[in-house]
Amino acid sequence: MVVLAALGCTSPSRSTSEATGPDQLEFEFDRINPPGHMDQTLLIANSGTSAVIPTLEITPVDRGGAVLPGVTVSTAFGTDRGKVVVPARKTTIDVLAFAGDGAANVADVRVSVQEMTTVAFPAAPQDVVVEAVDAAGQSTSKFSTFDAVALANPNSEKVSVGVVCMLWGESPDGQPQQVHEVIPVGFTSIARNGSATIRATGDAKNGCGSLKAFFSPPA
């Protein structure tokens, strides 16, 4: 498979010209974020004029930049599987989890764009509002049992989204908190300035540490 673009994530360089193709994407990995924010986030900034669906290869490295061959990486939203739309003029995130011998030594990641396609999607969209609701459609806590996820689209154009329920593990001192399970809730499209509801089933009904929506390829 041809690697279209590759870079480390410690200090992304920013171009002042209009980038196209893989060069329109820039990456930044944040290992530990402030309290109340998710750790191990991969930020993907799209400086181009078109929305894209990338398939990323993510390689964990240590403080010295050496590859950690015994460590595997997974993504919460699916940027490594072509499941996420990165709109133009917007920074999109994914959340990474590491496993295997040496996972505690991950300090950064290298990202390569293995494949990328353009897609019709609103530029610089606002994030969809996500809310856990009970059987009557009333707002309820995402941390306990809920029946459905209500979504509100604040944009003046139709968008498509996926929703996941994320469960977090405990973090040792000095280590990031890591997602230990990602439970898919579903995918849907939402009309401009409209709303939609996805019924929660199985383990997704039992409460989440984080309940997140991400822009996904249109069906």
Side-chain angles (χ1 to χ4, degrees):
M1 188 174 293
V2 177
V3 176
L4 301 177
L7 64 159
C9 294
T10 303
S11 300
S13 59
R14 298 193 177 276
S15 172
T16 57
S17 61
E18 184 63 56
T20 58
D23 290 340
Q24 73 191 66
L25 299 183
E26 297 172 351
F27 305 92
E28 178 181 339
F29 175 66
D30 293 324
R31 180 172 173 268
I32 298 179
N33 284 307
H37 297 268
M38 298 182 294
D39 288 339
Q40 297 186 164
T41 52
L42 179 66
L43 280 64
I44 309 164
N46 182 354
S47 62
T49 58
S50 59
V52 295
I53 304 170
T55 300
L56 305 180
E57 182 175 67
I58 303 165
T59 303
V61 298
D62 64 16
R63 288 181 181 274
V67 173
L68 295 164
V71 179
T72 59
V73 59
S74 58
T75 64
F77 304 152
T79 51
D80 58 340
R81 305 186 304 278
K83 300 296 186 181
V84 177
V85 170
V86 182
R89 309 299 187 190
K90 185 173 178 67
T91 296
T92 297
I93 74 163
D94 205 343
V95 182
L96 310 184
F98 304 103
D101 186 29
N105 297 324
V106 175
D108 200 357
V109 296
R110 297 176 187 169
V111 180
S112 62
V113 181
Q114 298 291 294
E115 296 180 1
M116 193 170 81
T117 58
T118 59
V119 62
F121 209 86
Q126 298 181 60
D127 291 334
V128 166
V129 178
V130 183
E131 186 176 32
V133 297
D134 60 20
Q138 299 300 306
S139 178
T140 190
S141 173
K142 66 184 176 185
F143 300 115
S144 58
T145 302
F146 58 87
D147 289 273
V149 178
L151 304 165
N153 177 16
N155 299 288
S156 59
E157 298 181 64
K158 178 181 178 180
V159 297
S160 50
V161 297
V163 179
V164 295
C165 170
M166 302 163 66
L167 305 179
W168 296 84
E170 296 295 327
S171 56
D173 289 344
Q175 292 293 321
Q177 190 176 28
Q178 178 161 272
V179 175
H180 72 80
E181 187 174 3
V182 178
I183 305 169
V185 178
F187 293 85
T188 191
S189 295
I190 315 172
R192 61 179 187 174
N193 301 122
S195 61
T197 300
I198 302 178
R199 290 293 170 188
T201 59
D203 290 340
K205 298 181 63 173
N206 297 328
C208 307
S210 298
L211 186 61
K212 297 294 182 180
F214 57 92
F215 293 118
S216 62

